[in-house]
Amino acid sequence: MRTFLGMPTTAPAGVGHLRGDEPFPAAARKALGDAQLRRNLRHATTTIRAKSGAVIDEVPDWAELRAAGRAIKADTMARLPELLEQLEAAVTAAGGVVHWAADAVEANRIVTELVRATGADRVMKVKSMATQEIGLNEALEAAGIEPVETDLAELIVQLGNDKPSHILVPAIHRNRAEIREIFRREMPGVDPDLTDEPAALAAAARRHLRQTFLSTKVAVSGANFAVAETGTLAVVESEGNGRMCLTLPETLITVMGIEKVIPTWADLGVFLQLLPRASTGERMNPYTSMWTGVTPGDGPRQVHLVLLDNGRSAVLADPVGRQALHCIRCSACLNVCPVYERTGGHAYGSVYPGPIGAVLSPQLTGVADNASLPYASSLCGACFDACPVLIDIPSILVHLRGQAPHPRAEAAAMAAAAYTMDHPRLYAAAQRAAGLGRVAGRALPPPLNGWTASRDLPAAPPQTFRQWWAERGSGS
Amino acid sequence: MSAREEVLARLRAALAGAPPVVPAPGPVPRRQGDRPPGRPELVELLRQRLVDYRAEVHRAAGADVAGTVAAILAAAGARTLVVPAGLPADWRPGTVEVVVDEDLPAARLAGLDAVLTAAAVAVAETGTIVLDAGADQGRRALSLLPDLHVCVVRPAQVVGIVPEALDRLTPGRPLTWISGPSATSDIELSRVEGVHGPRRLHVVLTDG
Ligand code: SF4
């Protein structure tokens, strides 16, 4: 791929985790054969849907909050360059150092050099989608630096030599018995009589990581939000591993996708109300940390912020697909998706699975590199219904299908994979969606027999991305 | 071009070539909270929400914070207590060894049984207390490493909803929002209390 300087650019291949080894239908078929996986997923997503629904019902202005979330994000994207400059100025004024990374390779190099400069050969990490996306752990390992994941689910994935399969709960595909086995096998010094009680498993993780927290000099985090007007970064978490990493080391390096910036301090109020209820089904998650540059006598003395593009500029360049950048990574769309519930996250190939992954990954890499993902959906509309910032995922899916290199082949492959799905539940999902009428005018209204090839034929978009791209390329 | 200029140029090109299909919606009305802070029903709501998330809540008459804290520590079997330098002197219980934090190393903090702090703000609707590293709360590590956190909240600090809390907080300060003891939803998506942060959270609500 040729890169034009200063033009919106997709994420490079050969680094990071945005592209799968095989197309979605093939990977999904394998996952569908794993009954244990399906049971684990169904149990987990059913639990979370009930919890989330109950705490959302308590909020009298949930609809207004969602609308406000969407409005703030749309405004942010329209002013992204100026907001990032404002953020940079505010972080710098507070004693932080801001770095810019055009892609995964640059971001990995920046972080590796920052760690090297400290002399440390180990870093502790707070769960971060951005660092998974760019393959930071592999880059650090290649440089002789050991990355230690401290989030319980990430630890389960790392110890199990596994891949994350959910945005919020990367080990959602594992049940308690499997987790106990991984701990017994891989955790040095673990009690051989460890039970599979979640509390016992959590306690084992606490013992395992305690010394790491107290002795590691460098931490790497992501950020859920960055406030342009104040330079404040926020990490939303549960276990306290985030607090440990953000507070105890001498150096803190935060890698953040550029779309995470929000304009004002007051805007945090909208997202802090939306995110926990949509995400873990809590009124508020146990811990949220906010820091603004360096505070003498409290926390890290060196604070870095790496602003990452890695394909986001290309997403921004598509006026329909752009709203995928509004995502606050709550994972509600995964938890309600009938396709995700059957296939799990690995089938999507990218670190971003589920409905949001099906629209985000192909845009970050270019649709040709993830051509089957826009078809990894029944267009039932449950994701749009659940999304706390009202991202119209089905419309983006339809839009992206119009850009797939061989849409009929992709559609046929998906229809074949869909055949193996269990129909009674899809029937219910389709019935539910029929009431929404959302895809009317775009595709056939959801039929009640699951997926069909005909439904996967999108209405011709007025202009394809590539036509548009070619036109604007010649005009500038 | 530097990476900075490169990224900014890409974003400007993206926006110039593709204006929004629909203009960004204007500001949406947001609920601002209409209950004056500290009203008894707010304090009661805070209590319920804290309990819901497995924090333990105690009421203490203003003069008796120290006695309440002493009882909590005794029941928990805690013998050492660390406090920030600016904690009101009459909150300190006389029943345990009290260590004042003067930049203690992390390992030392982790070896102490309990920590006693004040709070900056509390949010009733979500059962949240917010620490802003004020003199009566101390630096962030203090309320993180001991396994038992006792936090004193005054009625005037209790607001209804999150936006009201943000209004009262100063953005530049390091902030920690705490809703219950440390927990995880990582095993089968059910909440389990007690991972890396304090495994027990006790909140003392004073009456003035
Ligand atoms: S697309 Fe919406 S529902 Fe899905 S993870 Fe993002 S914010 Fe949550």
Side-chain angles (χ1 to χ4, degrees):
Chain A
M1 188 193 63
R2 171 132 167 58
T3 302
F4 296 93
L5 276 188
M7 297 307 283
T9 307
T10 51
V15 56
H17 303 285
L18 286 170
R19 295 163 174 85
D21 305 331
E22 55 187 351
F24 182 84
R29 244 194 304 273
K30 270 183 223 154
L32 287 167
D34 185 343
Q36 181 65 52
L37 172 75
R38 269 211 311 288
R39 269 197 302 276
N40 293 354
L41 284 171
R42 184 167 306 169
H43 172 69
T45 56
T46 309
T47 308
I48 196 71
R49 285 199 301 263
K51 276 175 67 182
S52 177
V55 293
I56 284 173
D57 284 347
E58 287 177 5
V59 183
D61 60 338
W62 186 251
E64 288 81 9
L65 282 171
R66 292 175 83 193
R70 174 167 65 178
I72 294 165
K73 287 292 188 177
D75 171 51
T76 300
M77 296 316 146
R79 298 193 288 131
L80 198 49
E82 82 179 64
L83 290 173
L84 290 169
E85 287 177 304
Q86 193 188 2
L87 174 69
E88 177 186 44
V91 170
T92 308
V97 183
V98 177
H99 312 259
W100 299 70
D103 58 31
V105 178
E106 269 185 22
N108 287 335
R109 196 191 62 230
I110 291 167
V111 176
T112 306
E113 282 171 6
L114 288 173
V115 177
R116 278 220 175 105
T118 68
D121 57 6
R122 183 176 62 179
V123 301
M124 51 185 179
K125 290 187 66 205
V126 199
K127 182 170 123 48
S128 135
M129 297 303 300
T131 62
Q132 284 174 32
E133 170 190 324
I134 61 177
L136 178 64
N137 286 3
E138 291 87 335
L140 290 173
E141 277 161 8
I145 298 161
E146 178 198 4
V148 181
E149 295 288 355
T150 63
D151 179 80
L152 178 53
E154 291 286 359
L155 181 69
I156 296 165
V157 167
Q158 196 177 38
L159 290 176
N161 221 335
D162 202 349
K163 284 183 184 168
S165 72
H166 188 276
I167 296 177
L168 173 73
V169 193
I172 195 172
H173 55 291
R174 299 290 194 188
N175 64 24
R176 58 185 75 188
E178 295 171 290
I179 295 167
R180 175 182 59 174
E181 283 321 303
I182 293 170
F183 280 13
R184 285 215 294 219
R185 210 171 52 231
E186 302 291 341
M187 207 179 251
V190 78
D191 175 4
D193 295 327
L194 181 67
T195 70
D196 66 0
E197 273 305 304
L201 297 170
R206 179 184 170 100
R207 273 192 303 276
H208 175 66
L209 285 174
R210 198 71 177 182
Q211 203 46 45
T212 303
F213 289 135
L214 293 177
S215 61
T216 307
K217 302 275 181 254
V218 183
V220 175
S221 83
N224 292 89
F225 308 103
V227 181
E229 77 175 349
T230 63
T232 306
L233 303 183
V235 161
V236 172
E237 52 127 2
S238 295
E239 297 165 16
N241 61 313
R243 292 177 70 188
M244 296 278 181
C245 291
L246 301 170
T247 310
L248 297 181
E250 287 166 9
T251 301
L252 171 62
I253 305 166
T254 301
V255 181
M256 183 189 94
I258 48 180
E259 80 281 17
K260 296 285 171 224
V261 65
I262 57 175
T264 70
W265 178 250
D267 293 335
L268 273 176
V270 172
F271 297 109
L272 288 180
Q273 290 180 83
L274 288 170
L275 180 56
R277 292 181 201 257
S279 182
T280 47
E282 294 164 309
R283 297 187 185 101
M284 188 61 92
N285 50 288
Y287 299 132
T288 296
S289 296
M290 299 180 189
W291 71 102
T292 307
V294 176
T295 303
D298 188 339
R301 290 193 293 256
Q302 311 282 333
V303 169
H304 297 273
L305 173 63
V306 181
L307 295 172
L308 175 73
D309 178 351
N310 205 39
R312 286 160 178 78
S313 54
V315 186
L316 189 69
D318 182 335
V320 176
R322 166 182 304 169
Q323 55 176 317
L325 296 177
H326 298 185
C327 174
I328 56 173
R329 308 277 187 267
C330 75
S331 73
C333 58
L334 280 63
N335 299 334
V336 299
C337 178
V339 177
Y340 177 86
E341 188 178 300
R342 281 159 188 74
T343 63
H346 293 150
Y348 293 79
S350 157
V351 293
Y352 302 107
I356 181 61
V359 294
L360 188 57
S361 310
Q363 295 197 84
L364 289 171
T365 61
V367 177
D369 282 11
N370 266 309
S372 61
L373 283 186
Y375 292 86
S377 163
S378 63
L379 299 181
C380 79
C383 48
F384 185 25
D385 241 15
C387 178
V389 291
L390 291 168
I391 300 175
D392 184 355
I393 293 175
S395 288
I396 310 175
L397 288 167
V398 171
H399 170 70
L400 295 177
R401 286 177 190 190
Q403 298 164 20
H406 20 65
R408 277 169 196 282
E410 304 291 350
M414 273 319 300
Y419 185 75
T420 54
M421 303 237 167
D422 86 34
H423 284 139
R425 291 173 62 87
L426 268 183
Y427 177 87
Q431 262 188 330
R432 185 164 159 279
L436 299 175
R438 237 193 21 70
V439 290
R442 274 289 174 60
L444 297 174
L448 300 179
N449 58 346
W451 290 344
T452 68
S454 65
R455 280 179 61 219
D456 288 328
L457 290 179
Q463 189 186 33
T464 69
F465 179 79
R466 279 173 299 161
Q467 281 166 343
W468 168 83
W469 187 252
E471 276 170 32
R472 61 183 301 289
S474 63
S476 54
Chain B
M1 241 196 265
S2 71
R4 178 181 190 279
E5 288 161 32
E6 169 70 25
V7 173
L8 287 170
R10 287 178 182 184
L11 296 177
R12 291 204 173 94
L15 289 168
V21 182
V22 275
V28 174
R30 301 180 195 171
R31 187 162 60 118
Q32 295 301 335
D34 45 15
R35 292 166 289 191
R39 288 276 291 273
E41 65 268 27
L42 280 184
V43 177
E44 173 55 19
L45 181 62
L46 174 69
R47 189 192 64 78
Q48 288 170 14
R49 296 284 152 97
L50 284 165
V51 168
D52 238 18
Y53 283 153
R54 305 275 188 280
E56 293 187 43
V57 183
H58 312 260
R59 303 256 189 182
D64 199 31
V65 171
T68 306
V69 173
I72 293 167
L73 297 178
R79 297 212 184 83
T80 50
L81 176 74
V82 61
V83 300
L87 192 85
D90 58 359
W91 286 4
R92 297 181 189 176
T95 50
V96 295
E97 181 195 341
V98 176
V99 181
V100 177
D101 176 42
E102 274 151 356
D103 218 8
L104 297 174
R108 170 93 170 101
L109 283 179
L112 296 167
D113 295 334
V115 53
L116 174 64
T117 72
V121 182
V123 187
E125 199 176 83
T126 57
T128 304
I129 52 180
V130 189
L131 308 190
D132 73 355
D136 54 3
Q137 299 151 60
R139 61 200 171 108
R140 286 172 288 169
L142 193 62
S143 54
L144 175 61
L145 290 168
D147 204 12
L148 166 63
H149 181 193
V150 184
C151 183
V152 181
V153 176
R154 304 177 181 97
Q157 297 177 312
V158 182
V159 300
I161 63 175
V162 170
E164 294 171 283
L166 286 164
D167 277 351
R168 294 175 147 224
L169 291 164
T170 309
R173 306 185 70 98
L175 300 176
T176 307
W177 299 56
I178 298 172
S179 309
S182 113
T184 180
S185 299
D186 280 355
I187 301 166
E188 301 178 4
L189 268 172
S190 18
R191 179 167 163 139
V192 186
E193 276 79 18
V195 200
H196 304 297
R199 286 183 283 191
R200 284 164 300 167
L201 173 65
H202 286 252
V203 176
V204 178
L205 299 172
T206 67
D207 61 1

